[in-house]
Each structure stands twice: as C-alpha cells, then as structure tokens.
Amino acid sequence: MSDPRPRTICCIVGARPNFVKIAPIMRALTDCDGLTPQLIHTGQHYDVAMNSIFFDELEIPRPDINLEVGSGSGTEQTARIMLGLEPILSTRPPDMAIVVGDVNSTLAAALVAAKLGIPLAHVEAGLRSGDRSMPEEVNRLVVDRLSDLLFTSEQSAIDNLISEGVSPRRIVFVGNVMIDTLRACSTRAAPVRSTLSGAGADPALSEQAAALGFAFVTLHRPSNVDDPERLESLLKALARIARKITLVFALHPRTRAMIESAGLDALLLTSSIIVTPPLSYLRAIGLMKEARFVITDSGGVQEETTALGIPCLTVRDSTERPVTVQQGTNILVGTSIEALASAVDDTLAGGGKRGQIPPMWDGKAAERIVAAIDAHLGGRHALLPA
C-alpha cells in the first residue's frame, strides 16, 4: 500500500558543484506526485552574484532557506552549517534529506540528519581516492557511513562501499547526475568568443584561441596551489605549454589568492595565457566543449570531459573517479611537472585520449534517484525506470 501523505524531501547544498548535481534532482522531485522538495543553501560558496548566475543558468528554484555561513576553515564552516541547520530540521523534520558530493555542507548536513534521526540519501556515494589528506575524502567516508540510501555513479563506488561493510540493499546504481545537467545544458553553452570577450581578454589572443585551438585549465586543490614552490613550478610549466598552444585559465579564488600572496602574478602576465575569473556553468561548459584538451585537478571536470569526449590531463596522484581513466578520456598524469609536459606533448601530437561514456551516464540518473526515494518511503513507484 502506498502512503498518501505528501512527503518533504530536503535537498541541502552549499557549493557550486552541488548546484550542478542538485538541479536535475529538484526537477525530478517536482515532477513526482507525493513528493515536495525543499531546498536549503548553506552559503558555503558565498559569492552572491555567481550563485545567482548558477541558479539562473541551471534553472534551479531559489532556495527556501539560505544560511549564509560564509567563509572559514573547514572545521569552522562545518560547525556553522550544523548550528544553522539543526533548528530548521528539528522544528519541521523532512521525511528524507538529500546531500550531494563531498563538500563541507554535505558533511555538516549528514551529521545533523543523523543526530536528529532523519533518513539520509547521499548522491555520488562510494567514491574514494585513497588519500585521506584530502578533506573531501574524509567527508565522503563519514557521510557514507551515516546514509540510509547510497546512490552511486560507477561500479568502483559500489565495490568500495561493499568492501567497507555497507549492505548492498542500501546501494543503488543510478548513474551520474552531473551528466544529467551536462546533457540538459549542452546546447545552451556559451560560445568561446563571447566568454573570452566577457573576460576582457586581449582580442588578438582570443581570436587565436578560437581559430587555432586552445587548452582549458582549472587548478585549485591545496596539493597544487597551497605550497608556493609547487605553485611556482606549475605556473612556469603552464607558461612553457602556452608557447605551444593558447591556454584559457579559469582562476579559482583560492588559486588567485595564493598566486598574489606568493608574488607570482608576473608568470601569468608575461605568458600567452588568457586568465578569466570564475566562470558560470554555461561559460565553463562552452570552453570545455571546444578545447583541444583540459588540464585540471577537479573531480567534476574529469567527469564532464569524459562525457564530452575531450581529453583530460589530471594533475593529481589519485582520483576518486577511476571510471574516467578506465573508460573515459582522463589521464592521471600525477604531480610531476615533467610528466605533465610529456602528456601535453603526446596529446598535441596524437590528438589525446579517446574513451567511451560509462554505463548509465545517460541523463536519467535523477529520475532513478527520485524513484528509489519514493519507493523507499512507501510511495507508488515500486520499480526504478529503465
């Protein structure tokens, strides 16, 4: 028997990667009879203008609640989010809370839900890098232990959860919600010339990038940008690469701050690198689609490039998304500057790695997630959609 009561599903997000993942889930929840979505934005990413652009581009309804926690250390930020969430969730407990990804908001929401006895679903569960020096890895481990439903995007995530003792009955392989958003927005991606012009790039260099090809760069991981010597080596390597192909470097606020504090600005100003501020989703996807290859340390970019068929060089020693290496277009080049330079040369000479789209990265992950939640809570959908 189905439960006729309307059920509230609280979606808790806080950082821009969360917005990309929650957008298709919010749409699927809205379309499901008997489920009422509620959206809470913790304010972990607190750039008001950029947040507004992301919500508009991804067609996400404005949050029901915004905690506006702002910046701080990982511990401080997590604590502020918990203090803000607890009175909200305890006053009117939802039937289930959904968290996505691995940021501080995800961890904080999971801890509060667990303490209040609210059922918890984790989207993008089971991903593991094996590197606990990454704050995100600790978040993933804790959130998965607290979750009632664990939605996975690739087989390795299922294997990880089972090896950690999670019951297979709590694991649902649904595919990748980031690809839902990518497919939905791909035709609206911003043209390269428009993005570069809007960033104030030199017109001649912008035209060269658009006409002759370019590589897209994003770097923000502490392991790459927090140590001044490491950061200097990376920037010098990018300057050398820019002699062979124009680079478009979307500069993360954290990376910009580290470059300025280390006095390394000149390495960007004197090379053929187009530096842009943080980009909206449609602008970033537009650049990614047209790039000859991408240099990154971002987990999400590894997935997006695989789905787009664009070669990706990941400047990390490990990845929590091994399917992008095993089946996709991603090459894990490590942290050696020499290895990065060699990988760039190989990509320029041979066109880069070509892969295939992993199973169930078909744009329907959110539908499967909502059907599973509905069934778990006693709704009408006993079977997941194909």
Side-chain angles (χ1 to χ4, degrees):
M1 295 292 290
S2 63
D3 185 346
R5 293 182 304 110
R7 289 149 295 153
T8 300
I9 311 299
C10 182
C11 301
I12 304 165
V13 296
R16 286 185 282 279
N18 286 176
F19 306 158
V20 178
K21 296 164 192 173
I22 209 64
I25 296 172
M26 289 292 295
R27 285 194 291 274
L29 285 169
T30 301
D31 291 341
C32 184
D33 292 339
L35 296 182
T36 301
Q38 177 190 40
L39 184 61
I40 297 180
H41 181 6
T42 69
Q44 177 179 331
H45 277 182
Y46 51 93
D47 183 325
V48 175
M50 186 59 74
N51 283 350
S52 178
I53 291 171
F54 264 74
F55 274 71
D56 289 341
E57 288 187 345
L58 300 174
E59 299 177 339
I60 306 172
R62 287 298 182 265
D64 298 285
I65 297 168
N66 192 330
L67 300 180
E68 299 181 345
V69 297
S71 63
S73 70
T75 301
E76 182 183 7
Q77 203 172 54
T78 302
R80 285 179 179 171
I81 296 168
M82 292 180 69
L83 289 170
L85 278 177
E86 185 178 39
I88 294 168
L89 296 184
S90 61
T91 301
R92 298 186 64 181
D95 293 273
M96 176 166 276
I98 299 178
V99 293
V100 295
D102 52 22
V103 298
N104 292 335
S105 297
T106 306
L107 173 64
L111 289 167
V112 173
K115 288 182 177 295
L116 295 177
I118 297 168
L120 179 69
H122 183 204
V123 176
E124 214 175 61
L127 298 180
R128 301 287 184 269
S129 69
D131 180 3
R132 292 200 185 185
S133 69
M134 295 176 62
E136 296 90 347
E137 183 78 352
V138 175
N139 293 350
R140 296 178 199 119
L141 288 162
V142 174
V143 173
D144 284 343
R145 297 305 295 181
L146 298 176
S147 297
D148 299 278
L149 285 177
L150 299 105
F151 295 118
T152 59
S153 59
E154 59 178 87
Q155 182 61 46
S156 72
I158 300 172
D159 297 339
N160 291 335
L161 292 170
I162 291 174
S163 70
E164 292 168 8
V166 176
S167 169
R169 299 179 63 180
R170 295 164 52 203
I171 303 169
V172 187
F173 180 30
V174 294
N176 193 326
V177 290
M178 287 194 72
I179 309 310
D180 291 18
T181 296
L182 184 65
R183 284 174 171 252
C185 295
S186 183
T187 58
R188 296 191 287 120
V192 170
R193 286 180 173 85
S194 170
T195 297
L196 298 184
S197 173
D202 175 78
L205 192 56
S206 297
E207 184 58 33
Q208 177 179 308
L212 302 179
F214 63 93
F216 183 45
V217 182
T218 77
L219 296 167
H220 73 282
R221 296 280 176 187
S223 58
N224 280 324
V225 306
D226 279 13
D227 177 60
E229 290 186 9
R230 166 69 180 164
L231 180 58
E232 182 177 11
S233 295
L234 264 176
L235 294 178
K236 287 180 176 177
L238 292 178
R240 289 193 294 271
I241 293 167
R243 296 173 193 155
K244 305 171 184 178
I245 183 171
T246 303
L247 300 184
V248 179
F249 190 176
L251 206 54
H252 190 282
R254 174 190 188 88
T255 308
R256 180 179 291 279
M258 294 299 178
I259 289 172
E260 291 175 352
S261 67
L264 300 173
D265 311 61
L267 291 175
L268 294 177
L269 294 174
T270 59
S271 57
S272 298
I273 301 174
I274 300 173
V275 177
T276 77
L279 296 171
S280 74
Y281 181 74
L282 294 182
R283 290 188 181 279
I285 292 301
L287 287 170
M288 216 177 297
K289 284 177 62 177
E290 300 301 325
R292 288 179 61 182
F293 61 92
V294 173
I295 298 172
T296 192
D297 56 14
S298 161
V301 172
Q302 294 172 57
E303 295 176 322
E304 289 160 341
T305 48
T306 277
L308 291 169
I310 302 299
C312 180
L313 307 179
T314 298
V315 187
R316 286 169 52 183
D317 288 322
S318 61
T319 179
E320 64 282 355
R321 294 162 168 88
V323 73
T324 63
V325 176
Q326 296 160 358
Q327 298 182 33
T329 61
N330 188 22
I331 296 176
L332 203 63
V333 301
T335 55
S336 162
I337 300 304
E338 293 74 18
L340 174 60
S342 177
V344 167
D345 288 342
D346 290 345
T347 300
L348 288 171
K353 183 180 180 182
R354 300 297 171 185
Q356 61 186 20
I357 297 177
M360 294 176 71
W361 288 25
D362 57 2
K364 298 179 180 179
E367 296 174 25
R368 298 185 186 102
I369 288 168
V370 171
I373 288 172
D374 191 45
H376 181 80
L377 295 176
R380 297 179 305 162
H381 301 94
L383 299 176
L384 298 183

CSV table of all heavy atoms in Angstrom, one decimal, residues 10 53 69 79 81 113 145 169 191 197-198 222 242 249 279 300-301 315 380:
chain,number,residue,atom,x,y,z
A,10,CYS,N,14.2,17.2,1.7
A,10,CYS,CA,15.0,18.4,1.9
A,10,CYS,C,16.4,18.2,1.2
A,10,CYS,O,17.1,17.3,1.6
A,10,CYS,CB,15.2,18.6,3.4
A,10,CYS,SG,16.2,20.1,3.8
A,53,ILE,N,23.9,33.5,-10.8
A,53,ILE,CA,24.1,33.1,-12.2
A,53,ILE,C,23.9,31.6,-12.3
A,53,ILE,O,23.2,31.1,-13.2
A,53,ILE,CB,25.5,33.5,-12.7
A,53,ILE,CG1,25.5,35.1,-12.8
A,53,ILE,CG2,25.8,32.9,-14.0
A,53,ILE,CD1,26.9,35.6,-13.1
A,69,VAL,N,26.4,31.1,5.6
A,69,VAL,CA,27.5,30.8,6.6
A,69,VAL,C,28.8,31.5,6.2
A,69,VAL,O,29.6,31.8,7.1
A,69,VAL,CB,27.7,29.3,6.8
A,69,VAL,CG1,26.5,28.7,7.4
A,69,VAL,CG2,28.2,28.6,5.6
A,79,ALA,N,30.9,23.6,11.4
A,79,ALA,CA,30.2,23.8,12.6
A,79,ALA,C,29.1,24.9,12.5
A,79,ALA,O,28.0,24.7,13.0
A,79,ALA,CB,31.2,24.3,13.7
A,81,ILE,N,27.5,25.5,9.8
A,81,ILE,CA,26.4,24.9,9.0
A,81,ILE,C,25.5,24.1,9.9
A,81,ILE,O,24.3,24.1,9.9
A,81,ILE,CB,26.9,24.1,7.8
A,81,ILE,CG1,27.6,25.1,6.8
A,81,ILE,CG2,25.8,23.4,7.1
A,81,ILE,CD1,28.4,24.4,5.7
A,113,ALA,N,21.5,15.4,10.2
A,113,ALA,CA,20.4,14.5,9.9
A,113,ALA,C,20.5,13.2,10.8
A,113,ALA,O,19.5,12.7,11.3
A,113,ALA,CB,20.4,14.1,8.4
A,145,ARG,N,28.9,6.5,5.8
A,145,ARG,CA,28.6,5.6,7.0
A,145,ARG,C,27.3,6.0,7.6
A,145,ARG,O,26.6,5.2,8.3
A,145,ARG,CB,29.7,5.8,8.0
A,145,ARG,CG,31.1,5.3,7.6
A,145,ARG,CD,31.1,3.9,7.1
A,145,ARG,NE,30.8,2.9,8.2
A,145,ARG,CZ,30.7,1.6,8.0
A,145,ARG,NH1,30.9,1.1,6.8
A,145,ARG,NH2,30.4,0.8,9.0
A,169,ARG,N,21.8,-3.8,0.0
A,169,ARG,CA,20.4,-3.3,-0.1
A,169,ARG,C,20.3,-1.8,0.0
A,169,ARG,O,19.2,-1.3,-0.4
A,169,ARG,CB,19.6,-4.0,1.0
A,169,ARG,CG,19.6,-5.5,0.9
A,169,ARG,CD,18.8,-6.2,2.0
A,169,ARG,NE,17.4,-5.8,1.9
A,169,ARG,CZ,16.5,-6.2,2.8
A,169,ARG,NH1,16.8,-7.1,3.8
A,169,ARG,NH2,15.2,-5.9,2.7
A,191,PRO,N,29.3,30.5,-26.4
A,191,PRO,CA,30.3,30.5,-27.4
A,191,PRO,C,31.7,30.9,-26.8
A,191,PRO,O,31.7,31.8,-25.9
A,191,PRO,CB,29.8,31.4,-28.5
A,191,PRO,CG,28.4,31.6,-28.3
A,191,PRO,CD,28.2,31.4,-26.8
A,197,SER,N,35.7,37.4,-24.6
A,197,SER,CA,35.5,38.8,-24.7
A,197,SER,C,34.9,39.3,-23.4
A,197,SER,O,35.3,40.4,-22.9
A,197,SER,CB,34.5,39.1,-25.8
A,197,SER,OG,34.1,40.5,-25.8
A,198,GLY,N,34.0,38.6,-22.8
A,198,GLY,CA,33.4,39.0,-21.5
A,198,GLY,C,34.4,39.0,-20.4
A,198,GLY,O,34.3,39.7,-19.4
A,222,PRO,N,44.5,22.1,-2.8
A,222,PRO,CA,45.6,22.5,-1.9
A,222,PRO,C,46.9,21.9,-2.3
A,222,PRO,O,47.9,22.5,-2.2
A,222,PRO,CB,45.1,22.1,-0.5
A,222,PRO,CG,43.6,22.1,-0.6
A,222,PRO,CD,43.3,21.6,-2.0
A,242,ALA,N,52.1,27.2,-22.9
A,242,ALA,CA,51.4,28.2,-23.6
A,242,ALA,C,52.2,28.7,-24.9
A,242,ALA,O,51.6,29.4,-25.7
A,242,ALA,CB,51.1,29.4,-22.7
A,249,PHE,N,42.8,29.9,-18.7
A,249,PHE,CA,43.0,29.5,-17.3
A,249,PHE,C,41.9,30.2,-16.5
A,249,PHE,O,41.9,31.4,-16.2
A,249,PHE,CB,44.3,29.9,-16.8
A,249,PHE,CG,44.8,29.4,-15.4
A,249,PHE,CD1,46.0,29.7,-14.9
A,249,PHE,CD2,43.9,28.6,-14.7
A,249,PHE,CE1,46.4,29.2,-13.7
A,249,PHE,CE2,44.3,28.1,-13.4
A,249,PHE,CZ,45.6,28.4,-13.0
A,279,LEU,N,34.1,31.1,-13.7
A,279,LEU,CA,33.1,31.1,-14.8
A,279,LEU,C,31.8,30.5,-14.4
A,279,LEU,O,31.7,29.6,-13.6
A,279,LEU,CB,33.7,30.4,-16.0
A,279,LEU,CG,34.9,30.9,-16.7
A,279,LEU,CD1,35.5,29.9,-17.7
A,279,LEU,CD2,34.7,32.3,-17.3
A,300,GLY,N,34.9,17.0,-10.8
A,300,GLY,CA,33.8,17.2,-11.7
A,300,GLY,C,34.2,17.3,-13.2
A,300,GLY,O,33.6,16.8,-14.1
A,301,VAL,N,35.3,18.0,-13.4
A,301,VAL,CA,35.8,18.3,-14.7
A,301,VAL,C,36.3,16.9,-15.4
A,301,VAL,O,36.1,16.7,-16.6
A,301,VAL,CB,36.9,19.3,-14.7
A,301,VAL,CG1,37.6,19.4,-16.1
A,301,VAL,CG2,36.4,20.7,-14.4
A,315,VAL,N,46.1,16.7,-12.9
A,315,VAL,CA,47.3,16.9,-12.2
A,315,VAL,C,47.1,16.5,-10.7
A,315,VAL,O,47.0,17.3,-9.8
A,315,VAL,CB,47.7,18.4,-12.3
A,315,VAL,CG1,49.1,18.6,-11.7
A,315,VAL,CG2,47.7,18.8,-13.7
A,380,ARG,N,4.4,5.3,-4.7
A,380,ARG,CA,3.8,4.4,-5.6
A,380,ARG,C,4.7,3.7,-6.6
A,380,ARG,O,4.4,2.8,-7.3
A,380,ARG,CB,2.8,5.3,-6.5
A,380,ARG,CG,1.7,5.9,-5.7
A,380,ARG,CD,0.8,6.7,-6.6
A,380,ARG,NE,1.6,7.7,-7.3
A,380,ARG,CZ,1.1,8.4,-8.3
A,380,ARG,NH1,-0.1,8.1,-8.8
A,380,ARG,NH2,1.9,9.3,-8.9
